[in-house]
Every structure is written in structure tokens, then in C-alpha cells.
Amino acid sequence: METLIFNNKKYEVDKLQFLLDPLKWDEDFANAIANEQKIQLTENHWVIINYIRERYLRTNTCPTIFELCKHNHITLDYLKSLFPFGYHRSACKIAGVTYIDGLINHHYMDKVIKTNKPYNPDKTYIIDCFGFLFDPSEWDESFALNKAIEMKMPHLLTDRHWEIIYYLRDKFEKTNQIPTIYQLIEDMDMVLVELEELFPDGYHRGAVKLAGLRI
């Protein structure tokens, strides 16, 4: 846990500067994070920020990028023009929320683990309380298949799913970073609606989780 100070106000954040308690958010925090990302917040930015916060406070869940684009009738390119560092790493961070489901004080997540048995009865995985794999090097296809069943994905994993999963893992192994959704869409020559059809739970809660990665 770290403490950021803006305008003589203290904000507790995690190591990636995500606000630990969304209820402590205010516009000073948003402007400060935006300034660090060299983003000048306009009315168009605030439409997105306010939507994310309203949805989060009403449902205790961060909206997926699919939901946000549909509700606000915007394209991915338009969102990228507003928040170039990514939906999660920019828009959600500025809005004071995270993609993690149903959690306010999410700084406790790393302390809660359980084991999960995949198809291979001799293999167990250490995951956090949201099902994200702790150690990406422990990932294998059985983990992804098990998660796909857990998510009740209608077609389980097709060749196209595996292309996305291995793209994410390859990028992570080369750069030690998870690609933004903008990068994935461009590199894989796809459109947002295709990604939603493949991973209806969302980019991070779906594709990234299946690839054994997490922010």
C-alpha cells in the first residue's frame, strides 16, 4: 500500500496507483492521475469517468469495455483517443475503480488464495480469490480449459480463443507486461465485437484470466 498526496489530500493506492477505496475518490484524484498520464480532462472524458463510477457504485462491479462502448455509443478508437494508456490502466484508474469484480478494499486480494483442481487430477494451481493465477509460469492449457468451463463459455475454447491466449502469453513473456486491449485488437486484426463474442466476461476477467495473467 502506498499513499499519494494531491492538493493536501491523502489517497491510499496499491503499487500500480489504483485507489484502494473507490468511495474515497474525488475529482482532485481524477485530475491528478490524468495529469500524470498527460491527459487534459474534458467533458467527453467526464462522460466516460462518470459512467464507470455510476455503474461501479450501483453494481459493485466495474463495467466491461464492451458495456461501456455500447452504453455510450462509442468506438474503441474513440475511447483510445481519450484514454490512450488503456481502458483499465487509464479510464478506470482515473475513475478510482478496478476491473476486479465485487470488491471495494481489493488490496486484500493477494492474501486470499485457494487451490483449484483442473482436468489433470495431479495438478493444482494457486490462484487468488478471483480466480487469477498467482504465478504465470504455472499456466498450462488445462488451467485455461478449466476456467472456460467455470465461466460457462458457450463454445469453450476454439482455435481463435487459443490464438488470443497465446498472443497474450507471448507478449507477456517478451515484455513482462500485459498488452492493452488496443494493442490486442490491432495486432490480432479484429474488432471489439469479435472479442466480446469470444470473451463475454471481458478482456481482463476473461481473456487475461484464461491466459494465466493478471495486472
PDB file of all heavy atoms in Angstrom, residues 4 6 8 51 60 62 74 95 118 121 127-128 130 137 151-152 155-156 164 166 188 193 197 199:
ATOM      1  N   LEU A   4      -0.625   8.573  -1.843  1.00  0.00           N
ATOM      2  CA  LEU A   4      -0.401   9.694  -2.748  1.00  0.00           C
ATOM      3  C   LEU A   4      -1.021  10.940  -2.131  1.00  0.00           C
ATOM      4  O   LEU A   4      -2.076  10.868  -1.492  1.00  0.00           O
ATOM      5  CB  LEU A   4      -1.043   9.420  -4.110  1.00  0.00           C
ATOM      6  CG  LEU A   4      -0.512   8.226  -4.907  1.00  0.00           C
ATOM      7  CD1 LEU A   4      -1.245   8.131  -6.239  1.00  0.00           C
ATOM      8  CD2 LEU A   4       0.989   8.339  -5.132  1.00  0.00           C
ATOM      9  N   PHE A   6      -2.383  14.716  -3.081  1.00  0.00           N
ATOM     10  CA  PHE A   6      -2.762  15.700  -4.091  1.00  0.00           C
ATOM     11  C   PHE A   6      -3.574  16.789  -3.412  1.00  0.00           C
ATOM     12  O   PHE A   6      -4.528  16.501  -2.684  1.00  0.00           O
ATOM     13  CB  PHE A   6      -3.612  15.066  -5.202  1.00  0.00           C
ATOM     14  CG  PHE A   6      -2.962  13.902  -5.894  1.00  0.00           C
ATOM     15  CD1 PHE A   6      -3.622  12.689  -6.000  1.00  0.00           C
ATOM     16  CD2 PHE A   6      -1.701  14.017  -6.448  1.00  0.00           C
ATOM     17  CE1 PHE A   6      -3.040  11.612  -6.643  1.00  0.00           C
ATOM     18  CE2 PHE A   6      -1.104  12.947  -7.091  1.00  0.00           C
ATOM     19  CZ  PHE A   6      -1.772  11.744  -7.188  1.00  0.00           C
ATOM     20  N   ASN A   8      -3.089  18.522  -0.878  1.00  0.00           N
ATOM     21  CA  ASN A   8      -3.105  18.308   0.575  1.00  0.00           C
ATOM     22  C   ASN A   8      -4.083  17.225   1.016  1.00  0.00           C
ATOM     23  O   ASN A   8      -4.468  17.161   2.183  1.00  0.00           O
ATOM     24  CB  ASN A   8      -3.430  19.618   1.310  1.00  0.00           C
ATOM     25  CG  ASN A   8      -2.367  20.677   1.091  1.00  0.00           C
ATOM     26  OD1 ASN A   8      -1.169  20.379   1.124  1.00  0.00           O
ATOM     27  ND2 ASN A   8      -2.794  21.911   0.856  1.00  0.00           N
ATOM     28  N   TYR A  51     -19.723   7.493 -16.045  1.00  0.00           N
ATOM     29  CA  TYR A  51     -20.423   6.237 -16.329  1.00  0.00           C
ATOM     30  C   TYR A  51     -19.779   5.085 -15.560  1.00  0.00           C
ATOM     31  O   TYR A  51     -20.469   4.267 -14.944  1.00  0.00           O
ATOM     32  CB  TYR A  51     -20.402   5.929 -17.828  1.00  0.00           C
ATOM     33  CG  TYR A  51     -20.866   4.522 -18.133  1.00  0.00           C
ATOM     34  CD1 TYR A  51     -22.221   4.196 -18.101  1.00  0.00           C
ATOM     35  CD2 TYR A  51     -19.949   3.510 -18.414  1.00  0.00           C
ATOM     36  CE1 TYR A  51     -22.650   2.899 -18.348  1.00  0.00           C
ATOM     37  CE2 TYR A  51     -20.371   2.211 -18.663  1.00  0.00           C
ATOM     38  CZ  TYR A  51     -21.718   1.910 -18.626  1.00  0.00           C
ATOM     39  OH  TYR A  51     -22.140   0.621 -18.851  1.00  0.00           O
ATOM     40  N   ASN A  60     -21.384  -2.573  -7.810  1.00  0.00           N
ATOM     41  CA  ASN A  60     -20.151  -3.049  -7.175  1.00  0.00           C
ATOM     42  C   ASN A  60     -19.281  -3.830  -8.158  1.00  0.00           C
ATOM     43  O   ASN A  60     -18.492  -4.686  -7.776  1.00  0.00           O
ATOM     44  CB  ASN A  60     -20.443  -3.910  -5.944  1.00  0.00           C
ATOM     45  CG  ASN A  60     -19.242  -3.995  -5.010  1.00  0.00           C
ATOM     46  OD1 ASN A  60     -18.440  -3.073  -4.933  1.00  0.00           O
ATOM     47  ND2 ASN A  60     -19.109  -5.100  -4.308  1.00  0.00           N
ATOM     48  N   CYS A  62     -16.998  -3.208 -11.894  1.00  0.00           N
ATOM     49  CA  CYS A  62     -16.520  -2.311 -12.943  1.00  0.00           C
ATOM     50  C   CYS A  62     -17.091  -2.773 -14.281  1.00  0.00           C
ATOM     51  O   CYS A  62     -17.001  -3.953 -14.618  1.00  0.00           O
ATOM     52  CB  CYS A  62     -14.992  -2.349 -12.984  1.00  0.00           C
ATOM     53  SG  CYS A  62     -14.263  -1.288 -14.241  1.00  0.00           S
ATOM     54  N   ILE A  74     -19.965   4.519 -28.437  1.00  0.00           N
ATOM     55  CA  ILE A  74     -18.653   4.965 -28.895  1.00  0.00           C
ATOM     56  C   ILE A  74     -17.867   3.785 -29.456  1.00  0.00           C
ATOM     57  O   ILE A  74     -18.185   2.627 -29.185  1.00  0.00           O
ATOM     58  CB  ILE A  74     -17.838   5.624 -27.758  1.00  0.00           C
ATOM     59  CG1 ILE A  74     -17.573   4.618 -26.629  1.00  0.00           C
ATOM     60  CG2 ILE A  74     -18.552   6.855 -27.228  1.00  0.00           C
ATOM     61  CD1 ILE A  74     -16.655   5.143 -25.542  1.00  0.00           C
ATOM     62  N   ALA A  95     -11.005   6.940 -12.801  1.00  0.00           N
ATOM     63  CA  ALA A  95     -12.326   6.891 -12.171  1.00  0.00           C
ATOM     64  C   ALA A  95     -12.285   6.297 -10.769  1.00  0.00           C
ATOM     65  O   ALA A  95     -13.306   6.243 -10.080  1.00  0.00           O
ATOM     66  CB  ALA A  95     -13.288   6.081 -13.042  1.00  0.00           C
ATOM     67  N   PRO A 118      -7.740 -28.864 -11.891  1.00  0.00           N
ATOM     68  CA  PRO A 118      -8.155 -28.869 -13.288  1.00  0.00           C
ATOM     69  C   PRO A 118      -8.459 -30.294 -13.731  1.00  0.00           C
ATOM     70  O   PRO A 118      -8.633 -31.187 -12.913  1.00  0.00           O
ATOM     71  CB  PRO A 118      -6.925 -28.313 -13.994  1.00  0.00           C
ATOM     72  CG  PRO A 118      -5.799 -28.853 -13.167  1.00  0.00           C
ATOM     73  CD  PRO A 118      -6.304 -28.854 -11.736  1.00  0.00           C
ATOM     74  N   PRO A 121      -5.832 -34.531 -12.545  1.00  0.00           N
ATOM     75  CA  PRO A 121      -6.021 -34.654 -11.094  1.00  0.00           C
ATOM     76  C   PRO A 121      -4.733 -34.498 -10.301  1.00  0.00           C
ATOM     77  O   PRO A 121      -4.772 -34.300  -9.087  1.00  0.00           O
ATOM     78  CB  PRO A 121      -6.611 -36.059 -10.941  1.00  0.00           C
ATOM     79  CG  PRO A 121      -6.112 -36.801 -12.137  1.00  0.00           C
ATOM     80  CD  PRO A 121      -6.078 -35.792 -13.245  1.00  0.00           C
ATOM     81  N   ILE A 127      -4.308 -19.770  -6.924  1.00  0.00           N
ATOM     82  CA  ILE A 127      -4.993 -18.628  -7.519  1.00  0.00           C
ATOM     83  C   ILE A 127      -5.438 -17.672  -6.419  1.00  0.00           C
ATOM     84  O   ILE A 127      -5.477 -18.031  -5.240  1.00  0.00           O
ATOM     85  CB  ILE A 127      -6.223 -19.080  -8.341  1.00  0.00           C
ATOM     86  CG1 ILE A 127      -7.224 -19.824  -7.451  1.00  0.00           C
ATOM     87  CG2 ILE A 127      -5.793 -19.955  -9.506  1.00  0.00           C
ATOM     88  CD1 ILE A 127      -8.487 -20.258  -8.166  1.00  0.00           C
ATOM     89  N   ASP A 128      -5.753 -16.437  -6.801  1.00  0.00           N
ATOM     90  CA  ASP A 128      -6.284 -15.507  -5.814  1.00  0.00           C
ATOM     91  C   ASP A 128      -7.790 -15.722  -5.694  1.00  0.00           C
ATOM     92  O   ASP A 128      -8.362 -16.611  -6.332  1.00  0.00           O
ATOM     93  CB  ASP A 128      -5.919 -14.056  -6.164  1.00  0.00           C
ATOM     94  CG  ASP A 128      -6.563 -13.561  -7.449  1.00  0.00           C
ATOM     95  OD1 ASP A 128      -7.616 -14.102  -7.850  1.00  0.00           O
ATOM     96  OD2 ASP A 128      -6.025 -12.622  -8.059  1.00  0.00           O
ATOM     97  N   PHE A 130     -10.167 -14.296  -6.855  1.00  0.00           N
ATOM     98  CA  PHE A 130     -10.943 -14.004  -8.053  1.00  0.00           C
ATOM     99  C   PHE A 130     -10.592 -14.934  -9.196  1.00  0.00           C
ATOM    100  O   PHE A 130     -11.013 -14.729 -10.327  1.00  0.00           O
ATOM    101  CB  PHE A 130     -10.754 -12.542  -8.467  1.00  0.00           C
ATOM    102  CG  PHE A 130     -11.237 -11.599  -7.413  1.00  0.00           C
ATOM    103  CD1 PHE A 130     -10.338 -11.025  -6.535  1.00  0.00           C
ATOM    104  CD2 PHE A 130     -12.582 -11.337  -7.247  1.00  0.00           C
ATOM    105  CE1 PHE A 130     -10.777 -10.183  -5.532  1.00  0.00           C
ATOM    106  CE2 PHE A 130     -13.031 -10.505  -6.247  1.00  0.00           C
ATOM    107  CZ  PHE A 130     -12.129  -9.931  -5.382  1.00  0.00           C
ATOM    108  N   SER A 137       4.010 -18.625 -14.711  1.00  0.00           N
ATOM    109  CA  SER A 137       4.818 -19.742 -15.213  1.00  0.00           C
ATOM    110  C   SER A 137       4.169 -21.090 -14.924  1.00  0.00           C
ATOM    111  O   SER A 137       4.556 -22.109 -15.512  1.00  0.00           O
ATOM    112  CB  SER A 137       6.222 -19.697 -14.600  1.00  0.00           C
ATOM    113  OG  SER A 137       6.184 -19.973 -13.213  1.00  0.00           O
ATOM    114  N   MET A 151     -16.388 -20.372 -16.353  1.00  0.00           N
ATOM    115  CA  MET A 151     -17.033 -19.160 -16.857  1.00  0.00           C
ATOM    116  C   MET A 151     -18.272 -19.464 -17.701  1.00  0.00           C
ATOM    117  O   MET A 151     -18.952 -18.551 -18.157  1.00  0.00           O
ATOM    118  CB  MET A 151     -16.043 -18.358 -17.715  1.00  0.00           C
ATOM    119  CG  MET A 151     -14.861 -17.802 -16.964  1.00  0.00           C
ATOM    120  SD  MET A 151     -13.715 -16.982 -18.123  1.00  0.00           S
ATOM    121  CE  MET A 151     -12.347 -16.612 -17.023  1.00  0.00           C
ATOM    122  N   LYS A 152     -18.525 -20.760 -17.936  1.00  0.00           N
ATOM    123  CA  LYS A 152     -19.670 -21.193 -18.745  1.00  0.00           C
ATOM    124  C   LYS A 152     -19.619 -20.584 -20.144  1.00  0.00           C
ATOM    125  O   LYS A 152     -20.627 -20.119 -20.684  1.00  0.00           O
ATOM    126  CB  LYS A 152     -20.984 -20.840 -18.051  1.00  0.00           C
ATOM    127  CG  LYS A 152     -21.139 -21.512 -16.689  1.00  0.00           C
ATOM    128  CD  LYS A 152     -22.450 -21.161 -16.017  1.00  0.00           C
ATOM    129  CE  LYS A 152     -22.553 -21.857 -14.667  1.00  0.00           C
ATOM    130  NZ  LYS A 152     -23.805 -21.521 -13.948  1.00  0.00           N
ATOM    131  N   HIS A 155     -18.844 -21.925 -26.183  1.00  0.00           N
ATOM    132  CA  HIS A 155     -18.127 -22.775 -27.140  1.00  0.00           C
ATOM    133  C   HIS A 155     -16.793 -23.257 -26.576  1.00  0.00           C
ATOM    134  O   HIS A 155     -15.939 -23.742 -27.325  1.00  0.00           O
ATOM    135  CB  HIS A 155     -17.888 -22.011 -28.444  1.00  0.00           C
ATOM    136  CG  HIS A 155     -19.145 -21.461 -29.048  1.00  0.00           C
ATOM    137  ND1 HIS A 155     -20.143 -22.269 -29.539  1.00  0.00           N
ATOM    138  CD2 HIS A 155     -19.572 -20.185 -29.211  1.00  0.00           C
ATOM    139  CE1 HIS A 155     -21.135 -21.514 -29.992  1.00  0.00           C
ATOM    140  NE2 HIS A 155     -20.817 -20.252 -29.799  1.00  0.00           N
ATOM    141  N   LEU A 156     -16.640 -23.150 -25.258  1.00  0.00           N
ATOM    142  CA  LEU A 156     -15.359 -23.448 -24.627  1.00  0.00           C
ATOM    143  C   LEU A 156     -14.251 -22.708 -25.377  1.00  0.00           C
ATOM    144  O   LEU A 156     -14.389 -21.525 -25.632  1.00  0.00           O
ATOM    145  CB  LEU A 156     -15.130 -24.949 -24.556  1.00  0.00           C
ATOM    146  CG  LEU A 156     -16.038 -25.676 -23.545  1.00  0.00           C
ATOM    147  CD1 LEU A 156     -15.669 -27.147 -23.471  1.00  0.00           C
ATOM    148  CD2 LEU A 156     -15.969 -25.039 -22.163  1.00  0.00           C
ATOM    149  N   ILE A 164      -5.653 -15.901 -29.256  1.00  0.00           N
ATOM    150  CA  ILE A 164      -5.635 -14.742 -28.355  1.00  0.00           C
ATOM    151  C   ILE A 164      -4.847 -15.067 -27.089  1.00  0.00           C
ATOM    152  O   ILE A 164      -4.009 -14.275 -26.632  1.00  0.00           O
ATOM    153  CB  ILE A 164      -7.071 -14.323 -27.976  1.00  0.00           C
ATOM    154  CG1 ILE A 164      -7.911 -14.029 -29.219  1.00  0.00           C
ATOM    155  CG2 ILE A 164      -7.040 -13.119 -27.037  1.00  0.00           C
ATOM    156  CD1 ILE A 164      -7.419 -12.916 -30.077  1.00  0.00           C
ATOM    157  N   TYR A 166      -2.500 -17.327 -26.542  1.00  0.00           N
ATOM    158  CA  TYR A 166      -1.057 -17.454 -26.752  1.00  0.00           C
ATOM    159  C   TYR A 166      -0.422 -16.130 -27.179  1.00  0.00           C
ATOM    160  O   TYR A 166       0.757 -15.885 -26.898  1.00  0.00           O
ATOM    161  CB  TYR A 166      -0.761 -18.566 -27.759  1.00  0.00           C
ATOM    162  CG  TYR A 166      -0.700 -19.922 -27.089  1.00  0.00           C
ATOM    163  CD1 TYR A 166      -1.735 -20.836 -27.212  1.00  0.00           C
ATOM    164  CD2 TYR A 166       0.395 -20.266 -26.294  1.00  0.00           C
ATOM    165  CE1 TYR A 166      -1.689 -22.069 -26.574  1.00  0.00           C
ATOM    166  CE2 TYR A 166       0.455 -21.493 -25.654  1.00  0.00           C
ATOM    167  CZ  TYR A 166      -0.585 -22.390 -25.796  1.00  0.00           C
ATOM    168  OH  TYR A 166      -0.529 -23.600 -25.154  1.00  0.00           O
ATOM    169  N   MET A 188      -4.081  -8.427 -33.577  1.00  0.00           N
ATOM    170  CA  MET A 188      -4.811  -9.627 -33.976  1.00  0.00           C
ATOM    171  C   MET A 188      -5.796  -9.357 -35.112  1.00  0.00           C
ATOM    172  O   MET A 188      -6.533 -10.245 -35.520  1.00  0.00           O
ATOM    173  CB  MET A 188      -5.553 -10.217 -32.771  1.00  0.00           C
ATOM    174  CG  MET A 188      -4.646 -10.643 -31.630  1.00  0.00           C
ATOM    175  SD  MET A 188      -3.421 -11.879 -32.121  1.00  0.00           S
ATOM    176  CE  MET A 188      -4.471 -13.279 -32.484  1.00  0.00           C
ATOM    177  N   VAL A 193     -16.356  -6.267 -31.265  1.00  0.00           N
ATOM    178  CA  VAL A 193     -17.492  -7.182 -31.134  1.00  0.00           C
ATOM    179  C   VAL A 193     -17.031  -8.639 -31.200  1.00  0.00           C
ATOM    180  O   VAL A 193     -17.597  -9.511 -30.531  1.00  0.00           O
ATOM    181  CB  VAL A 193     -18.563  -6.891 -32.211  1.00  0.00           C
ATOM    182  CG1 VAL A 193     -18.045  -7.197 -33.615  1.00  0.00           C
ATOM    183  CG2 VAL A 193     -19.843  -7.665 -31.928  1.00  0.00           C
ATOM    184  N   GLU A 197     -17.582 -11.499 -28.293  1.00  0.00           N
ATOM    185  CA  GLU A 197     -18.174 -12.808 -28.558  1.00  0.00           C
ATOM    186  C   GLU A 197     -17.282 -13.936 -28.046  1.00  0.00           C
ATOM    187  O   GLU A 197     -17.771 -14.954 -27.551  1.00  0.00           O
ATOM    188  CB  GLU A 197     -18.420 -12.973 -30.057  1.00  0.00           C
ATOM    189  CG  GLU A 197     -19.535 -12.081 -30.591  1.00  0.00           C
ATOM    190  CD  GLU A 197     -19.626 -12.110 -32.105  1.00  0.00           C
ATOM    191  OE1 GLU A 197     -18.727 -12.713 -32.746  1.00  0.00           O
ATOM    192  OE2 GLU A 197     -20.577 -11.524 -32.656  1.00  0.00           O
ATOM    193  N   PHE A 199     -14.871 -13.604 -25.555  1.00  0.00           N
ATOM    194  CA  PHE A 199     -14.656 -13.499 -24.109  1.00  0.00           C
ATOM    195  C   PHE A 199     -15.716 -12.581 -23.499  1.00  0.00           C
ATOM    196  O   PHE A 199     -15.438 -11.423 -23.176  1.00  0.00           O
ATOM    197  CB  PHE A 199     -13.252 -12.970 -23.816  1.00  0.00           C
ATOM    198  CG  PHE A 199     -12.145 -13.801 -24.403  1.00  0.00           C
ATOM    199  CD1 PHE A 199     -11.543 -13.440 -25.598  1.00  0.00           C
ATOM    200  CD2 PHE A 199     -11.719 -14.959 -23.766  1.00  0.00           C
ATOM    201  CE1 PHE A 199     -10.522 -14.205 -26.149  1.00  0.00           C
ATOM    202  CE2 PHE A 199     -10.700 -15.737 -24.306  1.00  0.00           C
ATOM    203  CZ  PHE A 199     -10.100 -15.366 -25.503  1.00  0.00           C
TER     204      PHE A 199
END
